[in-house]
Amino acid sequence: MADDSEDVGPIEVPDAPPPPPPLDPEVIAQAEKAKEEANANFKAKHFTASIAGYTRAIDLNPNNAIYWANRAAANIKLENYGAAVADAEKSTEIDPKYIKGYYRRGDAHFALGKYKLALKDLRTAAKVAPRDPDLRRKLAECEKEVKRLRFEEALAVPDEEVMSTLEKLDLAIYDIIEDSYTGPRMAGSPAEGYTITAEFVEAMIAEFKAQKTIHKRFAFEIIKQAHTLFKSLPSLVDVTIPDDKHFTVCGDVHGQFYDLLNIWELNGRPSTENPYLFNGDFVDRGSFSCEVIFALLAYKLLFPEHMHLTRGNHESKSMNKVYGFDGEVKAKYNGTMVDCFRELFCALPLSYCLNGRVLVLHGGLFSNDGVTLDDLRKVDRFREPPEEGIMCDALWADPSPLPGRTASKRGVGLSFGRDVTRGFLDANGLDLLVRSHEVKEEGYEVEHDGRLITVFSAPNYCDQMGNKGAFVKFNGNDMVPHFTTFSAVPHPDVKPMAYANSYLMGM
């Protein structure tokens, strides 16, 4: 998200508060045991379990800064950056000289794109540990991002004056295809125009499996044609599934191309008889994001009425700069293509309604009561995501076991309870909400009295979470969800986040 905080320098490290009354040694021992169990779960990458363990330790001994900082670290692993900031702040309140508290808060702020706040935290930590090598590295990276942000702000022009990269793109400069290029070619010619075929798509996927790229001429052609197609769609797309047909919804893929291919091995390739909806977060984190997005877009062009894509929170400029997609596109193609993808992502629909009964969107429900499907249809989505409102909530919100609306553990959007889900679905004549946006141990979870499903399709997320992936299939005659889970498959030795901001390597 955008960072509009004031520029800040280093701050003074406050004095420690008065020590709390001593605890019973037995209580202290129980808290330490809970912490050690949580540490073991953290090392085993069971981050949800580790949060539960640190929470038990905090409940027993709330005045131990280490417990709060450790829980912040686990929340960062689960991308609960808002919760991580709150935990890290508590850690520094308890012990102002405990530098890991500032580290953790700086990490969470950086992950949210709040570089100036991250820099403030890191500078504060540096007053305590000026020689720490990891801290020095993070400080340098954060300072670089703040300078870049200032530079972009200085060059910024009003939105209405921004020129379309896709409209001014001259594809003729890519028309000459070198003799050395042995990859797939689209049907047609520069003079006649290019069209996508099933043969090209299959050859392209084979090329990607061999860790090769397609020619820039065809890559740009796919983006441009897909952008034209998506621009013609409303922000909420209605989809009809005939009684004798089925329909598959997949969640986040996050650049895990070989797991995407496994979905198609298990459930069949997209076709007129086998329609799909991929529910956002196609890119970032995984290091095969280009391959994923080109495969999805190619099938969209091949089967425009039977392949559907929802925008996720990672189809945005701020996320792509940090989590790898920008760097990957520049490494495999060029910087112009980064700007073209930004325009494409701004054209993606925000939601789909299946047979008038099931709403599918990436994040969740809304900050205010009374939002209707017509309100979703009317959203002006052709922009970067705002920090509040219907579009922000559709991309960022999460369900909660608590009633009503509460602060988001992510630091963006909100959390909403089963009463909010029930009220929205009933008011809009819907049976079910399907969303993605969160890692789930089994690849999916059913919540809110069976009326909300989370589906996540990136197994062993970032090669470290150990989760399964899943997809959900509906039959048109009854619209009852049927789940398939699957495990991760091997991929070439390119680590997740290989193209991400180097700051994140230490998180």
Side-chain angles (χ1 to χ4, degrees):
M1 304 300 289
D3 183 4
D4 57 1
S5 60
E6 292 297 318
D7 191 17
V8 292
I11 63 171
E12 294 298 321
V13 178
D15 294 329
L23 290 173
D24 185 306
E26 178 61 28
V27 173
I28 293 174
Q30 291 175 11
E32 280 296 297
K33 181 180 179 182
K35 182 200 77 171
E36 293 305 319
E37 290 175 355
N39 286 349
N41 276 317
F42 188 95
K43 290 177 182 177
K45 301 175 181 176
H46 301 316
F47 300 116
T48 300
S50 73
I51 287 174
Y54 294 131
T55 300
R56 287 196 299 274
I58 289 167
D59 289 342
L60 290 163
N61 182 6
N63 296 307
N64 189 313
I66 295 172
Y67 301 166
W68 293 94
N70 284 6
R71 192 170 74 175
N75 271 312
I76 286 170
K77 290 293 185 181
L78 291 178
E79 303 177 24
N80 299 335
Y81 301 124
V85 167
D87 283 346
E89 284 178 352
K90 185 64 178 178
S91 175
T92 59
E93 287 174 14
I94 294 168
D95 184 356
K97 296 188 183 299
Y98 185 56
I99 65 168
K100 284 191 177 179
Y102 299 106
Y103 259 54
R104 301 300 179 230
R105 190 169 65 185
D107 287 349
H109 280 145
F110 191 96
L112 287 167
K114 297 180 177 180
Y115 305 123
K116 294 175 186 176
L117 291 176
L119 184 58
K120 180 179 178 179
D121 286 325
L122 297 176
R123 285 176 174 171
T124 303
K127 294 180 72 68
V128 179
R131 298 182 183 276
D132 184 292
D134 187 51
L135 176 57
R136 291 166 68 91
R137 178 186 67 82
K138 288 185 174 182
L139 257 175
E141 191 62 43
C142 198
E143 286 169 347
K144 184 172 74 173
E145 287 301 316
V146 169
K147 288 179 182 177
R148 179 189 60 77
L149 189 65
R150 288 179 183 145
F151 181 73
E152 289 184 352
E153 289 171 347
L155 295 180
V157 297
D159 289 345
E160 60 271 15
E161 296 180 19
V162 175
M163 294 183 64
S164 165
T165 301
L166 281 168
E167 287 181 7
K168 65 183 181 181
L169 180 65
D170 181 9
L171 289 179
I173 64 175
Y174 303 106
D175 280 346
I176 297 176
I177 299 176
E178 304 80 2
D179 292 340
S180 60
Y181 178 71
T182 59
R185 298 173 183 243
M186 294 179 76
S189 67
E192 301 168 351
Y194 287 105
T195 58
I196 201 149
T197 63
E199 292 76 17
F200 171 82
V201 175
E202 289 301 317
M204 180 185 71
I205 288 173
E207 196 81 348
F208 291 162
K209 288 174 68 175
Q211 298 184 72
K212 298 179 181 179
T213 59
I214 58 173
H215 195 276
K216 293 184 184 70
R217 180 63 178 84
F218 305 126
F220 278 113
E221 188 70 39
I222 290 171
I223 296 170
K224 198 161 188 176
Q225 290 188 23
H227 179 256
T228 299
L229 182 54
F230 285 124
K231 273 180 63 177
S232 69
L233 299 175
S235 291
L236 184 154
V237 179
D238 290 287
V239 176
T240 300
I241 308 167
D243 285 351
D244 60 343
K245 302 294 183 182
H246 64 264
F247 189 93
T248 302
V249 179
C250 298
D252 303 34
V253 178
H254 271 303
Q256 296 185 198
F257 177 65
Y258 296 86
D259 293 308
L260 171 64
L261 295 184
N262 187 42
I263 292 173
W264 291 336
E265 287 294 318
L266 296 170
N267 195 55
R269 292 288 177 92
S271 70
T272 56
E273 297 300 312
N274 194 31
Y276 280 88
L277 192 164
F278 283 83
N279 194 29
D281 282 11
F282 322 118
V283 302
D284 280 340
R285 294 197 175 269
S287 295
F288 304 97
S289 292
C290 288
E291 291 79 1
V292 166
I293 191 62
F294 279 124
L296 295 175
L297 294 177
Y299 273 118
K300 176 64 178 176
L301 294 175
L302 201 58
F303 305 112
E305 301 300 322
H306 299 87
M307 180 64 157
H308 308 280
L309 305 180
T310 318
R311 189 176 189 177
N313 63 300
H314 276 268
E315 279 69 59
S316 65
K317 177 179 177 179
S318 59
M319 294 290 103
N320 296 162
K321 278 184 174 295
V322 177
Y323 292 99
F325 185 59
D326 277 18
E328 184 181 339
V329 174
K330 290 174 183 176
K332 294 178 179 178
Y333 296 94
N334 61 28
T336 300
M337 192 174 289
V338 170
D339 294 332
C340 291
F341 270 119
R342 290 216 176 102
E343 283 190 52
L344 172 76
F345 290 161
C346 289
L348 290 169
L350 300 178
S351 55
Y352 289 78
C353 189
L354 312 181
N355 279 4
R357 297 173 60 182
V358 177
L359 181 67
V360 184
L361 44 68
H362 180 73
L365 296 180
F366 310 104
S367 303
N368 300 307
D369 290 327
V371 174
T372 67
L373 297 185
D374 278 342
D375 292 328
L376 272 170
R377 291 185 179 97
K378 294 173 185 175
V379 171
D380 176 13
R381 70 184 190 275
F382 295 97
R383 54 175 175 159
E384 291 300 320
E387 296 194 13
E388 60 182 7
I390 291 175
M391 182 174 175
C392 175
D393 297 337
L395 298 177
W396 281 95
D398 295 294
S400 168
L402 301 175
R405 296 174 174 89
T406 51
S408 170
K409 60 191 176 185
R410 296 179 187 269
V412 185
L414 76 150
S415 297
F416 58 96
R418 68 183 63 199
D419 55 326
V420 176
T421 299
R422 180 179 62 250
F424 174 82
L425 294 177
D426 288 350
N428 286 281
L430 298 166
D431 299 335
L432 182 67
L433 176 68
V434 177
R435 42 91 62 181
S436 301
H437 194 42
E438 285 185 283
V439 182
K440 297 296 180 182
E441 289 278 342
E442 294 300 314
Y444 74 96
E445 186 173 358
V446 182
E447 303 173 79
H448 291 184
D449 303 317
R451 301 191 72 181
L452 183 146
I453 290 169
T454 299
V455 58
F456 192 84
S457 302
N460 194 25
Y461 181 44
C462 289
D463 285 0
Q464 69 171 6
M465 297 298 286
N467 61 291
K468 293 180 180 177
F471 53 83
V472 55
K473 185 176 286 190
F474 295 92
N475 295 315
N477 63 336
D478 59 15
M479 296 302 292
V480 173
H482 302 274
F483 302 96
T484 298
T485 62
F486 54 94
S487 298
V489 297
H491 62 74
D493 189 20
V494 181
K495 302 302 182 187
M497 307 285 281
Y499 302 95
N501 188 293
S502 61
Y503 183 106
L504 301 180
M505 299 300 103
M507 288 174 56

